[in-house]
Amino acid sequence: MLLAIDCGNTNTVFSIWDGEQFLATWRIASDHKRTADEYYVWLQTLMTLKKLDVVISEAIISSTVPRVVFNLRVLCNRYFDCRPLVVGKPECALPVAPRVDQGTTVGPDRLVNTVAGFDRHAGDLIVVDFGTATTFDVVDIDGAYIGGVIAPGVNLSLEALHMAAAALPHVDVTKPASAIGTNTVACMQAGVYWGYIGLVEGIVRQIRAERERPMKVIATGGLAPLFQQGTELFDSVEDDLTMHGLVLIHRYNKELETA
């Protein structure tokens, strides 16, 4: 069994892949102080509750939080007796190398989403990921990551607005009934929701203009379904894109070992 781990700035996702499908997926808050022992107790408890009697023998990790990787490595080594692949490290090969400025480090999550998006939709692709940051990954016709855009995430923007303006409350992200708010909360929700719709549509429009070709747009991340309600821009919304990419990258590296 393969344990796929995607560690983001806010949440870390664990999924168990049996070779054909994901048997289970769980989330935990990302915390660099969490030890390997704590991870194992949490994971083993959830596996028991789901009555999953499986043996994990392989693992792959994608992490945008470098300080978390050490304890995730220890988890895999100590409790599953395996050395995990870590996306972005030299020992973890990609099907197609990214084409960016020399010396540039590309976020592992963006590389994983590129591999998954290309597998499902081929090239000439824009992957929009609604995470802590809102990222746009541009995938070339051959599946190479060739750059993109990083914008503040939706919740990050709301939190900054709340903290910088004492009179403004903290509000949830939702699609407002109207673009014209008649109270403070409605005004803030309209500004964030329709503001981000405009941001996404505008950035995609500019990328397409620079590429001078049709490009599909795939959305992922927890808020993607919400923003899909306000635009017809997305060709597909996929909540398992990153996990699918991790499985593909792991499979690619195993094939290289046996070639």
Side-chain angles (χ1 to χ4, degrees):
M1 296 286 177
L2 172 67
L3 177 63
I5 305 173
D6 172 39
C7 178
N9 289 294
T10 304
N11 293 315
T12 300
V13 181
F14 291 72
S15 288
I16 297 177
W17 174 259
D18 70 354
E20 296 183 357
Q21 62 181 342
F22 288 110
L23 299 180
T25 297
W26 300 286
R27 291 177 179 270
I28 192 171
S30 298
D31 183 357
H32 71 275
K33 296 179 181 179
R34 186 171 285 113
T35 66
D37 302 326
E38 289 175 301
Y39 279 121
Y40 179 72
V41 171
W42 171 80
L43 187 59
Q44 189 62 40
T45 300
L46 290 173
M47 290 172 63
T48 300
L49 289 172
K50 199 169 177 61
K51 298 180 180 179
L52 278 180
D53 185 15
V54 298
V55 176
I56 294 172
S57 58
E58 298 175 296
I60 183 168
I61 300 169
S62 168
S63 177
T64 59
V65 188
R67 289 193 293 175
V68 173
V69 175
F70 174 78
N71 282 322
L72 291 175
R73 282 182 181 271
V74 174
L75 166 72
C76 298
N77 290 330
R78 179 180 298 166
Y79 291 105
F80 305 125
D81 194 26
C82 67
R83 180 177 179 178
L85 272 173
V86 181
V87 179
K89 299 297 183 182
E91 64 270 17
C92 183
L94 298 172
V96 184
R99 291 194 288 271
V100 293
D101 294 343
Q102 188 172 2
T104 298
T105 300
V106 181
D109 55 332
R110 308 184 77 178
L111 297 174
V112 173
N113 285 346
T114 293
V115 172
F118 180 73
D119 178 71
R120 287 180 170 174
H121 304 281
D124 287 334
L125 192 67
I126 303 170
V127 180
V128 184
D129 188 350
F130 293 92
T132 304
T134 301
T135 60
F136 300 73
D137 303 324
V138 182
V139 185
D140 209 349
I141 193 169
D142 64 345
Y145 171 86
I146 57 172
V149 176
I150 301 175
V154 180
N155 285 309
L156 192 63
S157 295
L158 271 175
E159 188 66 25
L161 191 62
H162 167 62
M163 294 183 67
L168 296 181
H170 181 77
V171 300
D172 294 328
V173 184
T174 187
K175 183 182 178 182
S178 170
I180 303 173
T182 55
N183 57 68
T184 301
V185 170
C187 288
M188 292 175 66
Q189 289 175 332
V192 169
Y193 186 84
W194 293 113
Y196 267 85
I197 291 292
L199 179 144
V200 171
E201 291 180 341
I203 289 176
V204 167
R205 182 169 58 249
Q206 185 61 29
I207 291 173
R208 283 172 166 167
E210 292 182 10
R211 295 288 292 163
E212 297 182 332
R213 65 184 73 183
M215 301 190 74
K216 293 180 182 177
V217 181
I218 308 304
T220 189
L223 292 176
L226 175 65
F227 284 97
Q228 183 188 30
Q229 299 173 25
T231 180
E232 297 181 355
L233 181 67
F234 305 136
D235 294 284
S236 178
V237 174
E238 302 174 13
D239 61 357
D240 66 338
L241 193 68
T242 304
M243 286 300 164
H244 179 61
L246 285 173
V247 169
L248 293 174
I249 292 172
H250 179 267
R251 181 186 302 160
Y252 178 74
N253 280 268
K254 294 296 289 185
E255 290 171 351
L256 289 179
E257 287 180 7
T258 58

